[in-house]
Amino acid sequence: MTLSSTDRTRLGRLRERAQTDRTTLYDVLDAGMICHLGVVIDGAPRVIPTGYGRDGDTLYLHGSTGARSLRAGTEICVTVTHLDGIVLARSAFHHSVNYRSAVIYGLPRTVTGADEKLTGLRAITERLAPGQWDVVRRPDPKELAATTVLALPLAEASVKIRQGPPIDDEADHALDLWAGVLPVRQVFGEPVPDPLLRPGFPVPEHVTFRSDNSHDRVTLS
């Protein structure tokens, strides 16, 4: 299934980097853990980093009921970006980065049903820590009442990706300068236990599975 092109999602420059496959959008979102939420409050723009989760064609965001940035009724913009490498060219003009990015526009709705609220919170929790939702205490009614969950449809989105070496001017290829890509990657470190944890609690397997010394790394290069 392809992404529907709109005036806001259609690329004006470097259109060859556009990705139109909806599964590529899912891949970019599912590889990230933090998004940037863009809103306009009192006529001024704000961009707020926050956690998110995806369930099918819905993106879930959450926060305090007092957060003005999470009040439905106005359109928002959500972006997710992965930095995969620094592209070092022979000329300053052609320096770049390898990246994967997604931009989603839309009018979110406030989730009111308890079941969907839990679905959204589960998606957000599992995006940050797969397996954690099955072992933690679930939110109680008071906590649910204090939490706003927004549901944003993935109906209007664009995906842009750059990969590969620098693209220098042909005349610059003769310069005695190194050019190439410095890959960037993100890995998990060793788990650090809570100082208030009672003695004898081993680190859960789903946490050690993602640690730096395990075989499951978050690799962005």
Side-chain angles (χ1 to χ4, degrees), residues 10-218:
R10 193 175 298 111
L11 298 183
R13 295 182 62 255
L14 302 174
R15 295 183 180 181
E16 69 277 6
R17 297 182 185 177
Q19 305 292 315
T20 59
D21 191 335
R22 180 164 289 272
T23 59
T24 306
L25 170 65
Y26 298 157
D27 290 343
V28 171
L29 295 177
D30 294 348
M33 289 177 282
I34 296 294
C35 71
H36 286 84
L37 167 64
V39 296
V40 176
I41 300 176
D42 294 336
R46 296 187 188 182
V47 177
I48 302 163
T50 185
Y52 69 91
R54 182 182 73 87
D55 185 64
D57 275 325
T58 301
L59 195 74
Y60 288 103
L61 309 165
H62 84 301
S64 167
T65 53
R68 299 179 67 191
S69 60
L70 294 179
R71 293 179 183 173
T74 182
E75 289 203 334
I76 63 174
C77 177
V78 173
T79 65
V80 173
T81 303
H82 304 284
L83 176 63
D84 294 330
I86 309 300
V87 180
L88 305 169
R90 295 167 181 83
S91 70
F93 181 80
H94 288 299
H95 277 61
S96 186
V97 294
N98 284 339
Y99 63 89
R100 292 160 289 147
S101 67
V103 180
I104 303 104
Y105 300 95
L107 182 66
R109 61 180 172 84
T110 301
V111 176
T112 57
D115 288 343
E116 189 183 3
K117 227 177 190 183
L118 289 173
T119 295
L121 293 174
R122 181 186 187 280
I124 295 167
T125 301
E126 289 294 293
R127 178 86 307 275
L128 291 172
Q132 190 72 1
W133 186 259
D134 292 333
V135 300
V136 297
R137 176 181 66 79
R138 305 294 170 80
D140 60 29
K142 183 178 179 180
E143 292 168 335
L144 282 178
T147 304
T148 293
V149 176
L150 292 185
L152 178 66
L154 298 176
E156 187 178 7
S158 67
V159 178
K160 194 174 179 181
I161 294 177
R162 189 212 189 275
Q163 297 175 322
I167 303 174
D168 272 311
D169 295 337
E170 186 173 351
D172 288 338
H173 292 168
L175 296 176
D176 292 329
L177 295 170
W178 187 89
V181 176
L182 180 63
V184 176
R185 69 176 186 174
Q186 178 178 319
V187 297
F188 293 102
E190 291 293 330
V192 179
D194 180 356
L196 300 180
L197 192 67
R198 295 197 306 272
F201 274 92
V203 181
E205 184 178 353
H206 71 276
V207 176
T208 58
F209 183 76
R210 303 183 82 196
S211 70
D212 191 19
N213 292 327
S214 78
H215 58 279
D216 182 37
R217 296 189 174 195
V218 176

